[in-house]
Amino acid sequence: MGSRVILNLVLCFLVVLSCSCNSCYGSARKLTALYKPPPMVLKYHNGKLLEGNLPVSILWYGKFTSTQKSIVSDFFLSLNPTSRNHLQHSSKTTTNPYVSHWWETVQTYMKNAQKKQTHIILSKQTTDEKYSLGKSLTRSQISELSQRVNSKPGTITLVLTDKDVTVEGFCMSSCGFHGSNKMKNSAFIWVGNSVTQCAGQCAWPFHQPIYRPQDKPLVAPNGDVGVDGMIMNIASLLSGTVTNPFGNGYFQGTANAPLEVSSACPGVYGKGAYPGYAGNLLRDTDTGGSYNAHGVNGRKYLLPALFNPTTSECSTLV
C-alpha cells in the first residue's frame, strides 16, 4: 500500500506540474501576441539636404519622342503648389489628389530638419540621340553624363536612358539610382526605360510582374508603359535625393543600403496595398488608366507612397 500511495502522489505532482507549465506557455503565447515592434523611423543623420530653389536638368540619352518628354516635364512642373491654383481649395481630397500634395510629405522632412522648403525648378534639357558613350553604360559613365549637363552646386541632373540602352545593374538590382558629387555639392539621378528589358520589374503594375501571380496589369495613365513606369521611379528617387543627397540625411539602416523616404514603402501606391496589389487607385473613365495624382496639362500619374514622419506609416494619396 505504501508504494502505491507514493506512486499516486508522484502522478498527482506530475499532473500539477504539467498544468502549471501549460499555463506558463499559454501566458507566454499571449505576451508574444501582444508584442508590437517599435515603429520604423527614418533618422536624420544631420547631413546636408537639398533645400530652397532646386534646379533640375534633364539629359535624354536616346531617341525619346516629344510626347514622352512632355510626360516627364509635366511631372516636374506639377510639383509646384501653384500648379493647382485652379482648384477651389488646396486641401487634399479623395477626388482631387495632386502631385503637389504628394510632394508635401517631402516638405515635412525639410521642416523637421529646420531647412527651407524645396521648390523644384525645371531647368535646361539636353538630348543625346547619337548615344555618345554607346548603348551599354556603366554606373561611372552615368555620373560622367550627368557632369556634362550640370554640375553646379545645389542642383540635380536627371539622366534618362531609352529602351535600347542597357546600364550596369539595370533590371538585375535596380530600376534607377541616385548619386552625388560631394566636392561640387551636386546630385544626379538615373532612371531607364524598362519596357523592352524588364517591365515586369520596373514598370509594375503596368506590366505583369516577373515573380508574382500573373494578374492582368493596370492601364498606364499616359498610355506609355515604359515612361509611366519611369515616372514612378523618378518620383521615388527624387524624394530620396532631396532628403538624403549625400548619404547622411534621412534614412534607416546602413548608408550603403539605406531605406529612404520612398524605398521604405515598396510596392505601395494606394490604401490596402499588399505584395502583388498596388492598392485602391483612381481610374480614368475615358482611358481606363489607373492613377493617384493629377498633374498639369490634364496629366495623371501613379506615384509611390512616401514614409510619413508624422504618422510613421506609408502615406498614400488615395
Side-chain angles (χ1 to χ4, degrees), residues 176-199:
F177 62 84
H178 69 86
S180 63
N181 185 327
K182 293 184 179 180
M183 295 295 292
K184 295 185 177 181
N185 197 31
S186 62
F188 67 90
I189 297 171
W190 163 73
V191 173
N193 187 332
S194 66
V195 67
T196 59
Q197 299 182 53
C198 55

Side-chain angles (χ1 to χ4, degrees), residues 47-257:
K48 183 175 178 58
L49 309 181
L50 297 182
E51 58 181 313
N53 293 331
L54 180 60
V56 175
S57 300
I58 302 177
L59 171 61
W60 303 93
Y61 193 83
K63 298 179 180 179
F64 289 90
T65 67
S66 58
T67 299
Q68 290 176 323
K69 291 179 179 180
S70 67
I71 294 172
V72 176
S73 297
D74 285 345
F75 164 71
F76 282 99
L77 295 175
S78 301
L79 290 167
N80 193 324
T82 60
S83 68
R84 65 178 193 246
N85 278 347
H86 61 283
L87 292 176
Q88 294 180 352
H89 51 84
S90 61
S91 61
K92 183 173 65 176
T93 68
T94 303
T95 55
N96 286 316
Y98 268 70
V99 173
S100 54
H101 291 134
W102 175 83
W103 190 245
E104 287 174 358
T105 299
V106 175
Q107 303 289 30
T108 301
Y109 283 92
M110 308 306 289
K111 180 180 179 180
N112 290 350
Q114 298 183 332
K115 304 295 184 181
K116 298 177 182 177
Q117 298 287 278
T118 302
H119 301 289
I120 301 296
I121 301 172
L122 186 59
S123 187
K124 62 181 179 180
Q125 301 185 43
T126 306
T127 300
D128 186 346
E129 292 187 343
K130 295 183 179 180
Y131 306 91
S132 60
L133 295 182
K135 293 186 177 182
S136 180
L137 305 176
T138 63
R139 288 197 168 210
S140 62
Q141 286 177 315
I142 294 294
S143 178
E144 178 185 337
L145 287 171
S146 72
Q147 296 299 311
R148 290 185 185 180
V149 180
N150 192 358
S151 60
K152 293 182 179 179
T155 62
I156 293 179
T157 299
L158 178 62
V159 179
L160 302 178
T161 52
D162 206 356
K163 59 186 178 182
D164 55 351
V165 178
T166 61
V167 176
E168 178 185 2
F170 190 23
C171 299
M172 297 177 63
S173 59
S174 69
C175 303
F177 62 84
H178 69 86
S180 63
N181 185 327
K182 293 184 179 180
M183 295 295 292
K184 295 185 177 181
N185 197 31
S186 62
F188 67 90
I189 297 171
W190 163 73
V191 173
N193 187 332
S194 66
V195 67
T196 59
Q197 299 182 53
C198 55
Q201 178 179 338
C202 296
W204 180 85
F206 302 132
H207 189 281
Q208 289 180 318
I210 297 176
Y211 302 113
R212 299 167 183 163
Q214 299 298 298
D215 295 332
K216 184 178 180 180
L218 302 180
V219 177
N222 295 290
D224 191 315
V225 171
V227 175
D228 277 306
M230 292 179 79
I231 290 292
M232 295 186 294
N233 293 307
I234 291 171
S236 175
L237 290 165
L238 179 65
S239 64
T241 303
V242 169
T243 56
N244 188 34
F246 307 113
N248 54 4
Y250 280 101
F251 68 88
Q252 184 187 60
T254 65
N256 293 329

